[in-house]
Amino acid sequence: MPVATLLPFTATPNRKSASPTSFRLTEKFILLLVFSAFITLCFGAIFFLPDSSKLLSGVFFHSSAVETNTHTGPDSSDAGSAGNDDRLLAKIKKDHEKALLEAKDTLQKLPDVIQNDILADKAKVTKESMGKGAKDGNNLPFIEYHRPPGATGLEPQDPETRERRAKIKEMMKHAWDSYKQYAWGSNELRPVSKHGHSSNLFGSIKGATIVDALDTLYIMEMFEEFDAATDWVEKSLDFNVNAEVSVFEVNIRFVGGLLSAYYLSGKEVFRRKAVELGEKLLPAFKTPTGIPWALLNLKSGIGRNWPWASGGSSILAEYGTLHLEFMHLSRLSGNSEFAQKVMNIRKVLNRLEKPQGLYPNYLNPNSGQWGQHHVSVGGLGDSFYEYLLKAWLMSDKTDEEGKKMYYDALQAIETNLMRKSTNGLTYIAEWKGGLLEHKMGHLTCFAGGMIALGADGAPGDKTGHQMEQAAEIARTCHESYARTTLKLGPEAFRFDGGVEAIATRQNEKYFILRPEVIETYMYMWRFTHDPKYREWGWEAVQALEQHCRVDGGYSGIRDVYASSPNYDDVQQSFYLAETLKYLYLLFSEDDHLPFEHWVFNTEAHPLELLVFLKKE
C-alpha cells in the first residue's frame, strides 16, 4: 500500500490546523513512526510470505481507520483538529507496538502452527467476504466440505469374504464397461442387442445409468470410472428439456445420485446439478393441496397424474418419497422451499382419517381425499413407509412426527396385513377395500431391512419382536428365490390355492435385476452377523452370473421358472445403483458407510445425517 494512503490528511482541503509550524513537526513525527513500523513489517513478512494476512492486518486494516478519522467537516475548530492529531498519534503508536508484538509472537511459533494460522485466516477472510447467507458464483451458500467417514472401506480380513467382494466389484466393472462401450450417454443399456435404451420415465433427460452408478463407483474405489462419469455430468447432463418426466423416478435416481456423489467426493458440480434439478421439480407441487403431480414437463412446469391412477390420483410411494432428498436440497441450497413442500405433504396426510390406521395408495391432489382404498407395502406404497423411518434417523432422531407416523403405520401393517402361511412363512399381503389379497411383491421384500433398521427405536419392548419379524420376512423372500428354477425371485408370489412363495401368474414370473431381497440381507447381516445372510447373498451372485450375465452386460429374465433364461434385454440403472452396491456392502466391513452416519435413499444412494452437515 503506498505511503500516501496512510497520510491522507496532508492533502485534505478542508482541514484547519493550529499553526503551520506545529503541523509540519507533527507530520514529520508521524512519518518517522510509520516508516519504522513499515520497515519492521517488511522484515517480518520475508519469513511469512505469501500468506500472513494476520501480520499485515495491524497496519493495513488500521490505515483505513486513519483515513476515515482524519477527514472532518468544514466546521471543525482548530482545537478539535489539534485534539484529533494527538489521538491519531496515540493510535498509530499503539498500532505500531501491536504489530511488533504480533511479529515477535509469530517468530516464536513452530512452522506447522504458523501454517495452520495462515490457513485459518484465509478461510475466515473467505467467509467474511461472502457474508452471512451470501451466495457463491453458483448462487449456493458456502459450505465447508468435510470428507465423511466410511466413504470407502478396508478390505475384509476373512479371505473368502474378500474374494467374494472382489467378484462383486468385477461384476460392477462388467456392467459399467458394457454400458460405456455400447450405450454411453443413454439412460440404460440393452445388453443383448448392445445398444442404448431409454424409458419414458426420464423424458429426454439422458445418462440415468451414469448418475445412478456414481456412488457405487466411488465406494468400490473405481476412481478412473468415477472421474469419467463426473466429466460427463459436468459437460453433458442437461435438464433444460421440453419433456415430461416422472417426478419420483427423477428424484430418487438423479437428485439422489447427485447428492450422494457430492457427499462422497465433495465435488461442487454434483451439488450444483442436484439443486438445479430440484428447482425444476418444484412446479410439480402447484396443486390445490400441495400434493405433487406424478408427471411434470420440465420446461412448461405443467403437471398431471397417471391416467390409470384412481381418477387422477397421486400415488403414495411417489409423493411420499421426496422427503429425504428435498430436506438435503434445502440444506445445500439455502432455499427452505424444498423442505416446506415435503413438510406440507405430512400436514395433508395428518388431517385425513386412515382406514384401520392404514395409508391408501391413492390421494387426489385437488380434493385432498383418498382415492381407492388399496393398501400395499410393495408397489405404489413401499418407500413412503421407508422415508418416514429414515427421515427420523436422518434428523438424528429429532423428527418426532416422522417417528410417530412410522411406528403407528407399522403397527397397522402388522395388525391388518402381516400373515403367516400354513407352513410358517411370514408375508405381507395387500389390502383392497377391506379384503386381503394374499400376494407379496418382490418390492415388498425391502420391508425386512426396513423393520430391522427401525427395531432399535421401537416403542416399549418391541425391539426383539420387530427383529424377529424382519428375520421372518427375509426368510420368506429367500424362499421365493429358492423355489424357482433359476434361483432368482419372481416379481410377485402368492400364498393361496395351496402354493406358498410361488408366482402363479405369467405376468408375475419375471425378474428385472431388482435389489430388495439383497437389501434386506445386507441390513440383516449388519444387525445380526448371522452368516446365512452372506450365504444367501452369494447364492444370488451365482444365479446372476449364471443366468443374467451376457457378453454385453446383465439382462433381466422373463420367466424365472423356465429351464433356461429368456432375456428381456434391459440392464436397469438400479442394478448398478442398488443390487451390486448392496451385495458389495454385504461382503464389506461394518465401517463402510456406517449406519450411524448415513441413510440410504430408496435408490440406495447414501445421504449423510443432517446433523453432520456443517453450513458455514
Side-chain angles (χ1 to χ4, degrees), residues 22-70:
S22 62
F23 180 80
R24 285 194 296 273
L25 289 174
T26 301
E27 180 179 2
K28 289 177 182 179
F29 184 71
I30 293 172
L31 277 171
L32 183 61
L33 266 177
V34 172
F35 185 73
S36 64
F38 185 77
I39 293 299
T40 304
L41 289 172
C42 288
F43 178 79
I46 293 172
F47 298 95
F48 308 112
L49 289 175
D51 285 310
S52 189
S53 60
K54 183 176 180 181
L55 188 62
L56 297 176
S57 64
V59 172
F60 289 166
F61 289 170
H62 286 299
S63 67
S64 62
V66 172
E67 179 173 303
T68 301
N69 290 336
T70 55

Side-chain angles (χ1 to χ4, degrees), residues 442 445-446 474 477-478 480-481 489 493 514-522 536 540:
H442 193 291
C445 285
F446 91 97
C477 293
H478 174 257
S480 76
Y481 274 54
F493 44 93
R514 286 202 187 277
E516 291 78 20
V517 175
I518 306 299
E519 176 183 357
T520 281
Y521 295 166
M522 188 275 291
W536 290 353

Side-chain angles (χ1 to χ4, degrees), residues 143-434:
I143 293 179
E144 185 177 355
Y145 176 77
H146 298 275
R147 179 175 166 81
T152 54
L154 300 174
E155 286 283 328
Q157 295 185 356
D158 175 63
E160 182 181 63
T161 303
R162 189 162 59 244
E163 181 181 342
R164 290 180 172 183
R165 192 175 83 147
K167 173 59 183 175
I168 295 160
K169 181 175 179 177
E170 185 277 328
M171 294 167 69
M172 177 64 183
K173 183 164 178 57
H174 177 62
W176 176 261
D177 287 349
S178 298
Y179 167 79
K180 188 174 183 181
Q181 181 175 356
Y182 301 117
W184 185 248
S186 298
N187 280 316
E188 291 170 321
L189 164 69
R190 289 196 177 276
V192 178
S193 52
K194 297 181 180 178
H195 60 77
H197 166 71
S198 187
S199 163
N200 62 2
L201 296 172
F202 312 117
S204 52
I205 298 177
K206 302 298 183 184
T209 292
I210 296 174
V211 178
D212 234 359
L214 280 164
D215 51 13
T216 307
L217 293 170
Y218 194 94
I219 69 170
M220 291 188 182
E221 300 182 51
M222 297 171 66
F223 295 127
E224 183 177 337
E225 292 85 349
F226 178 82
D227 289 343
T230 302
D231 185 66
W232 186 91
V233 167
E234 190 149 25
K235 295 177 180 177
S236 304
L237 183 58
D238 184 13
F239 305 129
N240 295 310
V241 296
N242 184 11
E244 196 173 61
V245 303
S246 163
V247 174
F248 164 75
E249 293 289 351
V250 166
N251 176 65
I252 65 171
R253 302 197 203 199
F254 283 90
V255 176
L258 292 166
L259 290 172
S260 179
Y262 169 70
Y263 290 132
L264 290 168
S265 71
K267 293 182 181 292
E268 278 293 319
V269 61
F270 300 128
R271 178 166 74 125
R272 188 174 71 248
K273 290 284 188 179
V275 173
E276 178 191 348
L277 179 54
E279 289 173 346
K280 287 185 174 294
L281 296 178
L282 286 174
F285 293 84
K286 291 181 180 178
T287 66
T289 59
I291 298 296
W293 300 113
L295 303 168
L296 180 72
N297 185 294
L298 292 184
K299 182 175 183 180
S300 69
I302 296 173
R304 67 183 179 97
N305 277 335
W306 299 105
W308 50 263
S310 185
S313 290
S314 298
I315 296 169
L316 182 67
E318 295 193 337
Y319 69 77
T321 310
L322 303 168
H323 194 99
L324 302 188
E325 296 84 0
F326 273 52
M327 294 298 285
H328 276 273
L329 287 175
S330 270
R331 181 61 65 92
L332 295 184
S333 69
N335 182 0
S336 62
E337 186 177 3
F338 294 108
Q340 291 166 1
K341 296 297 187 188
V342 291
M343 292 307 293
N344 177 67
I345 292 173
R346 285 192 185 174
K347 291 179 182 177
V348 174
L349 292 175
N350 285 332
R351 287 196 297 262
L352 291 169
E353 183 178 348
K354 288 82 179 171
Q356 307 297 319
L358 299 167
Y359 289 83
N361 290 339
Y362 301 109
L363 177 63
N364 190 297
N366 293 310
S367 67
Q369 298 300 312
W370 299 120
Q372 276 181 307
H373 281 198
H374 175 206
V375 178
S376 169
V377 184
L380 307 181
D382 48 8
S383 46
F384 164 73
Y385 304 100
E386 174 189 359
Y387 272 38
L388 291 178
L389 170 64
K390 290 181 176 178
W392 174 57
L393 296 175
M394 191 177 75
S395 72
D396 198 31
K397 301 183 178 180
T398 61
D399 182 359
E400 291 295 329
E401 181 182 54
K403 176 184 179 182
K404 183 179 188 308
M405 291 174 72
Y406 168 72
Y407 288 110
D408 287 352
L410 185 60
Q411 182 58 55
I413 289 167
E414 178 180 356
T415 302
N416 296 286
L417 306 182
M418 208 172 287
R419 296 290 184 268
K420 255 189 204 287
S421 71
T422 304
N423 293 314
L425 292 178
T426 298
Y427 63 97
I428 303 176
E430 297 189 9
W431 190 82
K432 294 185 176 180

Side-chain angles (χ1 to χ4, degrees), residues 127 130-136 139-142 333-334 615-616:
K127 287 190 291 182
M130 294 179 69
K132 186 177 180 181
K135 309 288 185 175
D136 64 13
N139 292 322
L140 296 177
F142 175 77
S333 69
K615 184 175 177 181
E616 301 297 333

